Structure formats: structure tokens, C-alpha cells
Amino acid sequence: MARDHSTRRQLLTATGAATTVALAGCIGSLTGGSGGGSNEIKYLSDRGDSRQVIDDIISEFEDQSDYTVDVTYTSKGTSTDEQLQRMRAAGNPPDIVFDTSADAYRYQRDGKAAQVSDVVQGTGLPDPVNVDGESYFVPTMVEPLMGWYRNDLYDGNPTTWETWQTEAQRLTEEEDINGYVVQSGQTNNADTMVTQTLWQNDVNIYDGPADDIQVTIDDDENRQAAVETYEWLQTMSQYAPNGSGWEWGDAIAALQQENAAAAMSVGGLPILTIQANRPDLVEKLSPTAFPVPDGKAQDKWWAYMEGHVVWNDGDATDGAREFVDFFSDSDRFMDFILSAPLFQFPPTREGLDSDAVQNNETIQAHPEVIDLVRNNWDAFTTVLATGRDGAPNIVAADAYGQQLFGQSADQLLVGGRSPAETVDWVASELRGLQG
């Protein structure tokens, strides 16, 4: 992700728990690219928690290949973006970056991504970054957003906006604990929460094909629904701690420290973290989908899609393609996925239903999580796939990169804008990204 501020990668390092996951351009062809002359593949990854499995896959690859793989794991507190910029500044760019589909599309737009069509197409893998028939991203996992609530305090899963509001107010006033967490500010946690909450109220933020994305959040019915959404967030903030500037780890800490009875996060990350610090609290937490207004359904569910991007200005582009292909086919691939069960899931339904997932001890201990994932699999989508009919949306990718929707919540809750003024603000900011 080519940006200078905090990124989604901070979810991989911010929690501090031992089990927490460690957080149309000039494109080369399959036989070409600017980097084919080196036998050393430079690989940048933030998955230091999975180091053993990744190193084993690398060893297997090197045993049957003419290439070697030099992997750089980002250190705690350092984002992938920071390390990537350092490597580029030193004239030593990586051949492979582990990143999100939205970032891969941005790299492709900037002429930095090499096509990996032979690795993706015809394999059953999703193909979220397909431009003019060529693929630029190899998915390895999905990480769906998911909420967690105190089942010993809430009277069942509230599910709807109306019930969440009533229950959060009751807990705040009667149980001496904040009922909910409302994140705001220029963080990925806040950005995903606000975006998903808008989706829950059927707000179509964008429309149009990939080459002509339009901002529609303030059009007609969308505007009214968006205003209602910000009104609900404003109300819920009365029953929440001050979440301005909060990242994933902050919201999880609020649950762990019993400062809040519910928070929206990503997958089972709260469980993996709290289990290491407050195992007594784990059984009191239950997963939930984001709240929906009464009478509405769960139609669109944000799920991060992460995987491999091959860069076309490294020194071993062809070897990089070989490695990412080998990685996805490796016998250890499911071991890689299950190095953080509940948090990350396979990129295909077949993988989700595999024996490896079903028999995983951690997943078996939390069957309600896998049920939630399985039952909503068809609703999972990425912020990238928000153009018309799921077309790749560069405006959405850039808005996510700048966390504009998280900022919009700060405009509302800290800056004093009304819900209507907040909709106008974010619409203006989004149009500024249209170029």
C-alpha cells in the first residue's frame, strides 16, 4: 500500500498477544518483465507469526527449483508499507509482496504489478484484480469482519440497530460498562466499521464500471439512508468509550479490560488475543454479524482478501510467479491458513469445507464462528469489488487507503458536523479522488 499513514497492517501487530497475527501500467509478460535475470527471489511479508510454515514452503520450493527465496518479515511496529518504501529507496525492490487485493489493484494502476494469470485463472481461486482479462493478484486467505459481544450481559444476540441501541443503553446505564464501541478517525478499524455500517443500511456508495466509477452516497435514497446511518452511529456513541483514533488492538483491549461489552473487529482476532491474556473471558464472548436496521438483511459483508502480488520491477519476476504458484499448491498451504484459525480462512469454499479446517482444534472449540462464516460466505466481498456488478473500484481502494470513512466518523463525533453535513463531507472527499 503506497501511503504514509497507519495501515490495516497495524491489526497484525497492535494487540501485543503472542498468538496475534504479526500485522493500466507498463506490465511485464509471463516471459518478459523487467526482472528475469536473478535466481534470488526477494519476498516481503508481514506473516512472521507463520514463519515456520513459510520457511518450510520455501525450503520445499528451493529443493525443486533453480531459485532461492530471501524473505523479509516486517518487524513488530513496522508496516509492510514502510519496509516496502525502504527497499525501493535502496534500489532493492521485492519481487513478491504479501498484501490485500485493494493494494494489488493500486499497484497495477501504478504499473508496478506483474500479471499472474496462469497462476490464478482456471484454478478455482477468486480473481479480484482482473484487468483487461489479465490477473494481478493471487489470493491466499479471506478475513471477514465480525463483532463480539458479552453473552453474559446481553440478552441474546441483538442483531438489529434498534435492539442494539436499547441493549447498549441498558448496559451502559445499569451495568457500569459501555455497551458498544464506535471507532472513528484515520484508522482501518474505523474505516471498515463505518463502511460496513453504511452497507448494512443498503447505502450504495458507488456505481459505474471500473473505468468510470461514480460517487453515489449522496444521491436520492442513498443520501437519506446514509444520514440515518450516521444518526445511528451518533446515538450509539453515547453508549461507547471515546474510540477516536482506535485501531484493532484498542477495541480488543476494551473488551479484554471490560471497558466495553461489544465491539466490531475482524474474524476471531479478539478471541486469539483475549485467550492469551484473559482465558476466563473467552467463554463469555459470542460472535455476531454487524447490526442491520429492522427489516433489512445481510447482503454485503466486508472480508479482507490477502495474498501475493508479484512486482514487475524486481530482479526475479519469472521466479516470483513460480513461487506464488508453488505456495498456493503446497501441501503446507492449509497449515499456513490455520496458523491463525478463526482470524483467517481459505480463499475458496472448498477450502472452508476441507477436513483440515473442520478438524482444527481451535475452530472446533468455537463452532459458532465457522457457522457464521459458512452461512454468510456468499455475502463476503472486498471493498475493491464495489463498482457496478462488483467491478474493481479504484476510488474505493484509494478511499480505504486514506481511511476517509473513518475520518467521516471523526467529523461527526469529534468535529461536530451533523449527520447530513457528514454525508456531504465524505461525498466531497470521495469525488476528490476521482481524478
Side-chain angles (χ1 to χ4, degrees), residues 12-31:
L12 306 171
T13 57
T15 59
T19 55
T20 303
V21 183
L23 276 182
C26 235
I27 308 301
S29 69
L30 259 177
T31 57

Side-chain angles (χ1 to χ4, degrees), residues 361-372:
E361 184 177 352
T362 303
I363 289 176
Q364 286 185 334
H366 299 278
E368 67 276 18
V369 175
I370 197 69
D371 288 344
L372 198 61

Side-chain angles (χ1 to χ4, degrees), residues 163-178:
T163 309
W164 271 99
Q165 180 178 327
T166 299
E167 281 290 277
Q169 181 177 0
R170 178 182 65 80
L171 293 182
T172 302
E173 295 175 353
E174 298 178 8
E175 300 290 342
D176 194 29
I177 186 172
N178 291 293

Side-chain angles (χ1 to χ4, degrees), residues 18-206:
T19 55
T20 303
V21 183
L23 276 182
C26 235
I27 308 301
S29 69
L30 259 177
T31 57
S34 59
S38 173
N39 287 335
E40 182 182 75
I41 301 166
K42 293 184 290 292
Y43 177 25
L44 177 60
S45 174
D46 63 0
R47 298 289 156 161
D49 66 300
S50 305
R51 181 188 299 261
Q52 185 60 59
V53 176
I54 294 173
D55 287 350
D56 287 347
I57 294 174
I58 288 173
S59 294
E60 292 175 7
F61 173 75
E62 291 178 338
D63 286 344
Q64 58 90 63
S65 171
D66 294 330
Y67 292 94
T68 60
V69 180
D70 178 21
V71 58
T72 298
Y73 294 108
T74 54
S75 59
K76 185 173 180 179
T78 301
S79 73
T80 298
D81 304 328
E82 292 176 58
Q83 184 62 39
L84 176 58
Q85 296 308 319
R86 290 173 186 167
M87 295 175 73
R88 293 180 65 191
N92 188 37
D95 300 288
I96 305 168
V97 179
F98 193 88
D99 229 315
T100 69
S101 58
D103 303 311
Y105 192 41
R106 192 178 301 111
Y107 293 151
Q108 190 281 332
R109 184 261 319 263
D110 295 339
K112 296 298 183 182
Q115 60 101 337
V116 287
S117 299
D118 281 6
V119 181
V120 176
Q121 296 180 18
T123 66
L125 288 172
D127 190 12
V129 186
N130 186 300
V131 181
D132 297 329
E134 301 289 358
S135 306
Y136 294 91
F137 178 72
V138 185
T140 64
M141 64 180 63
V142 295
E143 300 151 352
L145 299 184
M146 192 178 296
W148 292 86
Y149 69 94
R150 287 281 297 271
N151 54 44
D152 60 327
L153 298 176
Y154 274 94
D155 185 18
N157 188 348
T159 68
T160 68
W161 279 11
E162 293 77 8
T163 309
W164 271 99
Q165 180 178 327
T166 299
E167 281 290 277
Q169 181 177 0
R170 178 182 65 80
L171 293 182
T172 302
E173 295 175 353
E174 298 178 8
E175 300 290 342
D176 194 29
I177 186 172
N178 291 293
Y180 198 71
V181 171
V182 178
Q183 300 94 333
S184 66
Q186 198 165 355
T187 71
N188 290 287
N189 192 13
D191 197 77
T192 57
M193 186 210 68
V194 175
T195 302
Q196 183 66 62
T197 305
L198 287 163
W199 288 355
Q200 299 298 85
N201 201 24
D202 294 335
V203 178
N204 292 315
I205 301 171
Y206 310 98

Side-chain angles (χ1 to χ4, degrees), residues 17 223 240 298 387:
R223 177 182 174 78
Q298 183 71 57

Side-chain angles (χ1 to χ4, degrees), residues 200-272:
Q200 299 298 85
N201 201 24
D202 294 335
V203 178
N204 292 315
I205 301 171
Y206 310 98
D207 196 7
D211 59 354
D212 188 27
I213 296 295
Q214 301 299 311
V215 174
T216 55
I217 188 172
D218 57 345
D219 288 357
D220 302 327
E221 293 181 4
N222 287 318
R223 177 182 174 78
Q224 180 57 39
V227 170
E228 292 171 357
T229 303
Y230 283 109
E231 288 174 344
W232 186 78
L233 287 172
Q234 189 175 53
T235 299
M236 293 299 288
S237 71
Q238 300 174 56
Y239 317 119
N242 182 354
S244 180
W246 277 22
E247 264 296 357
W248 308 96
D250 299 301
I252 293 170
L255 286 175
Q256 180 175 298
Q257 296 164 9
E258 301 190 70
N259 185 33
M264 300 297 118
S265 189
V266 57
L269 187 62
I271 291 294
L272 296 177

